[in-house]
């Protein structure tokens, strides 16, 4: 069997290594148009930020090591520019010499990845405008900064790569602006969860422009559609990526609307003996069932192993992705899994939601850090649809636990009974994950009736809004129109409350409001509790105040 | 409804709080023989070690706060000394006045916990011998040390509480010896995983005596059965705990052999309207199905919420425990879940096992820490039976992910497809959990044939033992009798190998041995690969050298 693999990084190299372990006798050729194979794309922003200090650290394998260990013929600077499915050949251009040749295959694997989207705006071609996909890109940015003693940078696009670059450049001493066309950064999370992230980014001295579309880049600035001009010596363009599949245009391999390669559950393309994987393909989202682009390394690596097995006659299914993702932002961690609320709405998937706020470990043990969690679940059976977490320590742990809850179809009731490892430095006897389960099941069972941030402006005029925090907390700030009845005084104030009016409760995070609601409920009052509490409300207010 | 709750800490207080939220009108009385309710037992070692600095931090609730928030009548220093199930009353002794009274109930909840086992050895009654269960115990230890300027301590028992105390006392500047009757510390893990722990404990300057049974305590030492005498100004006795249920002896409530209260899945005792939970009861182990004692806070808290619901007519099942546990030891973390190998053998449960060794996060991102993992799984279907992890960072995350794999019946194949959150500071594109899944499924599918540490001494005489690490690694130490063929030279050495001899492979952790095996297998050689590799072998050797 002769196998050609196009693309030598996450998907391609994973396929190659596993394939060799499966089949010592296969002829394996890996064709990579770039200078390097098997490199840590995900480490590039940290290389620019000098967190990763050596170029060598970024290289997991080289063509030599691949040959020595796996007897794989790795050809870098070798671009595949067309595929002839009928003859089972590809045309390869040697990027050094410019010469090209034809290479035949029994099986072809396509893992060409995705390339940065280049918007058609004036100034895109200036020398101080960069994108970041591979090692030479990172070198170019590094050299530009050193050579030009760059003082300021505008990052256009507030997604993963944009924010990682913003952090790393800021930490390197540059003035950084982030310019985002959407209403919030991090398209993987919802607006309400982005407030804390945005407030934090600003607190780090990064200028954040939301709802701002770059229209022109000059030698020293970015000009927005609304006329605002932001000074910048350097530009990082990170508004998204698109499948790097132009070479397949005439190949008979079916591509989707966004240029993505269409594959079935076995990672087979529409053409026999051709497999595809990674950032270049669309895959099934396990929540919505739709074919989506989820350009992340973990799916690419896993698909690689599956493709290698299927090349050898195994019938392994890739069961779909869920978009589990995480980002470090200075000390903050932001993570999500499943379909966010805004997507559920778009996809007409019914859901309920709750917000909680928990410490990374037992409150009585030093240095616990609070994290904010949002859970989306099915109103029918409590099946978990998505989770978003913003915090500092322990966010990565909870997102992984909850990612599996999404993946394996668990419900909010299952969260309750999870027996997670507890000792004071690590967690609480009721882990934040258990707590999410309690709160969500209370909502599902009708034990807690909630309202949300977005409802505050439209509460019925005759409603009573009661803040059950302490007098001191209340005086430090509260929602307009709220009256203060501290929880521990509520029982003695019941007589003063009108049973005919609906009561809207709020506290700091939702816990005391819930306890208040339990009392009111059983005494014949009708009430709703603000999920997320004043804390979330306040995050929204701070964000509003910070808008540029 | 009038509910009496015996015991006011993890199980009792959790029941009380949820019960109030369920039923605003119930009369709830919580009877606690000690001075405090709702305190952080698990924080006590850290209070002694001054990691937790204030006594107040240990108190999650007080009788006053419980009354103010939940209208619960909390009576401390109130010991229940008998239960009359026929009359539905309990007898309560006021520990201050010595007077007693009778209190009636509609429903009775028993959460009396467990007390330290006091061995019958000479000197146990000396004033410098302590156990640690509650706040007064912690105060007593603290005061003794200050008052006597204690310089050295012998901790008898190398379980959780013993080791946490050893760390905290050592960090406070005392000379610490740990004396363990068993062949290894931490009864929750297997011998092979304990090697690293023991080596680490010794590296911290703690003297560790294994297979050592204390026979006598003198004013200045502990004397073992084998005559060895270890000096100590103070003794912590932590050889285990036993249900604190003597007051139930004549109650008609069925107790088990170990004095534990017997309950059904609904946490009901053998007597109507009496529930029990926490350290005092036996519960179903979800792997073995057997009734076991799992005295941990997370089960106790969860059972409390279930008991509260069942008191109000819900029919909530407690689905069993799995003994998920974790301990911090200086910078090390040791965690486990499910039934360890030694228990599987005892219970005649068939299993397979693998060892892996993974970095807490991407190798190319700074400060990753290695962790050692042991996975036990069913040879029939790959169902995960148990996991043990010893490492530094990120152990708590992986054990939680894997605890759920155990709980929800997942298999090694499911581990492969888990889509966990990956960015370089948090993980690898193939998380250590995925990696466990790969390795275990290779074993299950017969793709990797393994042998173990315990097999080394009995390898067939005619076998060839090949170490496939580099020449340098080999020269730094190897298994006796091994010959060195570095992996990348193996293909060119094949002709020299005798196909009639079985080959035993070893490398550092098992990965290169596996790749070597894949080559050999397909070239017609029969081979086995050492799971855990030379690293695990070396840990065992270091442990042996450190034995006192
Ligand atoms: C800066 C950055 C940070 C990232 N951070 C994270 C992160 O933290 N977590 C995460 O999960 N993911 C992250 N990713 C995404 C992750 O790297 C990708 O999802 C993953 O690499 C996709 O694997 P792939 O094989 O599909 O594509 P790639 O790894 O991009 O490999 C494709 C290769 O194919 C080559 N190629 C393309 N066309 C041809 C052709 N015609 N002929 C020959 N060769 C060709 C390309 O040169 C490229 O090297 C990051 C990506 C970047 C760029
Ligand atoms: C030092 C220490 C460290 C620990 N660390 C951890 C850890 O890190 N992780 C973990 O999961 N678990 C840990 N535990 C175990 C955990 O604290 C227990 O599993 C949990 O507290 C059990 O709850 P319970 O309600 O059954 O018993 P307890 O919390 O012990 O409460 C029982 C209460 O009942 C009272 N009582 C007993 N008999 C009577 C009676 N007749 N009348 C009135 N009152 C009575 C007792 O005084 C006691 O206060 C630790 C325990 C200790 C002691
Ligand atoms: C590194 C790379 C070449 C893949 O190589 P690989 O050999 O498949 O991967 P690893 O080195 O992680 O080894 C995994 C294999 O070792 C085995 N293994 C791991 N630990 C083992 C142990 N202790 N004992 C036995 N086998 C072990 C696994 O089972 C797996 O083999 P399998 O797939 O045949 O089951 C490829 O992933 C790559 O190029 N990555 C860099 C690019 C990238 O991923 N970028 C995005 C993220 S930055
Ligand atoms: C603290 C203690 C009194 C229990 O009190 P509790 O009120 O049940 O527990 P918590 O304060 O954690 O609150 C949990 C409740 O708040 C709710 N809640 C938490 N966050 C919420 C939020 N953001 N919005 C709404 N409700 C929320 C949960 O749903 C849960 O209520 P439920 O059980 O009715 O569903 C008891 O566990 C205790 O005494 N613990 C100390 C002893 C101990 O556990 N020792 C061993 C470990 S050291």
């Amino acid at each position: 069997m002769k196998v050609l693999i196009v693309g030598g990084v996450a998907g391609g190299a994973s396929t190659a290594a596993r394939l060799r372990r499966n089949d010592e006798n296969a002829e394996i050729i890996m064709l990579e148009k770039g200078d390097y194979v098997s490199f840590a794309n995900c480490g590039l922003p940290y290389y620019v930020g000098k967190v990763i200090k050596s170029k060598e650290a970024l290289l997991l394998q080289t063509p030599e090591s691949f040959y020595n260990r796996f007897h794989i013929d790795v050809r870098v600077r070798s671009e595949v520019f067309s595929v002839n499915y009928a003859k089972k050949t590809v045309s390869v251009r040697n990027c050094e010499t410019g010469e090209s040749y034809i290479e035949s295959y029994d099986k072809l694997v396509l893992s060409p990845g995705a390339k940065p989207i280049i918007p058609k705006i004036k100034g895109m071609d200036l020398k101080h405008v960069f994108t970041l996909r591979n090692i030479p890109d990172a070198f170019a940015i590094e050299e530009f900064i050193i050579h030009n003693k760059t003082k300021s940078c505008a990052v256009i696009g507030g997604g993963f790569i944009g924010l990682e670059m913003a952090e790393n450049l800021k930490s390197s001493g540059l003035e950084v602006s982030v310019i985002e066309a959407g209403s919030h950064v991090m398209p993987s999370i919802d607006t309400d969860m982005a407030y804390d992230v945005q407030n934090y980014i600003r607190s780090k001295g990064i200028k954040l422009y939301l709802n701002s579309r770059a229209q022109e880049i000059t030698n020293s600035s970015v000009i927005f559609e609304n006329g605002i001009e932001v000074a910048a010596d350097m530009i990082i363009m990170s508004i998204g990526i698109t499948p790097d599949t132009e070479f397949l245009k005439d190949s008979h391999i079916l591509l989707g609307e966004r240029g993505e390669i269409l594959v079935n559950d076995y990672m087979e393309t529409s053409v026999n003996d051709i497999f595809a994987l990674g950032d270049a393909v669309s895959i099934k989202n396990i929540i919505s069932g739709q074919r989506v682009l989820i350009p992340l390394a973990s799916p690419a690596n896993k698909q690689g192993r599956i493709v290698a097995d299927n090349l050898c006659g195994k019938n392994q299914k890739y069961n779909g992705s869920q978009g589990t993702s995480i980002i470090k932002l200075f000390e903050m961690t932001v993570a999500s899994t499943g379909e966010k609320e805004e997507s559920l709405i778009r996809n007409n998937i019914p859901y309920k939601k709750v917000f909680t706020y928990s410490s990374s470990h037992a409150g009585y043990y030093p240095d616990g850090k609070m994290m904010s969690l949002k859970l989306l679940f099915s109103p029918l059976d409590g099946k978990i649809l998505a989770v978003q977490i913003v915090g500092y320590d322990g966010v990565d742990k909870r997102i992984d636990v909850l990612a599996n809850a999404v993946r394996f179809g668990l419900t909010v009731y299952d969260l309750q009974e999870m027996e997670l490892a507890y000792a004071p430095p690590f967690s609480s006897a009721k882990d934040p994950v258990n707590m999410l389960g309690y709160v969500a099941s209370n909502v599902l069972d009708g034990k807690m009736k909630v309202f949300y941030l977005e409802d505050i402006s439209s509460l019925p005029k005759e409603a009573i809004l009661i803040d059950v925090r302490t007098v001191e907390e209340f005086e430090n700030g509260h929602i307009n129109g709220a009256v203060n009845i501290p929880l521990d005084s509520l029982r003695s104030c019941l007589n003063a409350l009108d049973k005919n009016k609906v009561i809207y409760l709020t506290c700091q995070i939702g816990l005391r409001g819930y306890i208040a609601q339990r009392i009111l409920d059983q005494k014949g009052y009708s009430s709703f509790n603000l999920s997320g509490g004043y804390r979330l409300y306040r995050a929204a207010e701070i964000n509003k105040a910070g808008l540029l």
Side-chain angles (χ1 to χ4, degrees), chain A residues 6-7 9-11 31-33 41-42 78 80 111-113 278-279 295-297:
Chain A
V6 182
V9 195
L31 300 159
E32 166 57 54
K33 70 176 172 187
N41 337 46
C42 318
S78 301
V80 173
S111 192
D279 288 2
L296 290 169

Side-chain angles (χ1 to χ4, degrees), chain A residues 10-11 14-15 18 267 277-278 296-309 316-321 407:
Chain A
S14 297
T15 304
R18 169 75 173 176
M267 309 309 295
L277 69 158
L296 290 169
S298 158
N301 272 268
K302 294 188 172 76
Q303 291 159 13
R305 197 166 178 276
I306 289 174
V307 167
D309 283 2
Q316 286 271 103
K317 252 193 181 176
Y318 182 71
N319 289 324
S321 292
R407 184 151 207 101

Side-chain angles (χ1 to χ4, degrees), chain A residues 48 72 85 134 159 242 267 272 346 351 415 461 472:
Chain A
V48 172
I72 288 168
Y85 80 101
N134 53 32
T242 182
M267 309 309 295
N272 257 352
R346 231 184 354 259
Y351 67 89
L415 298 188
K461 258 217 303 280
E472 206 181 10

Side-chain angles (χ1 to χ4, degrees), chain A residues 35 255 261 264 291 301 321 358 417 424 478 508 541:
Chain A
D35 299 337
L255 303 183
I261 308 171
N264 64 15
R291 292 264 145 192
N301 272 268
S321 292
S358 290
E417 69 165 71
H478 55 261
Q508 187 64 16
E541 294 289 299

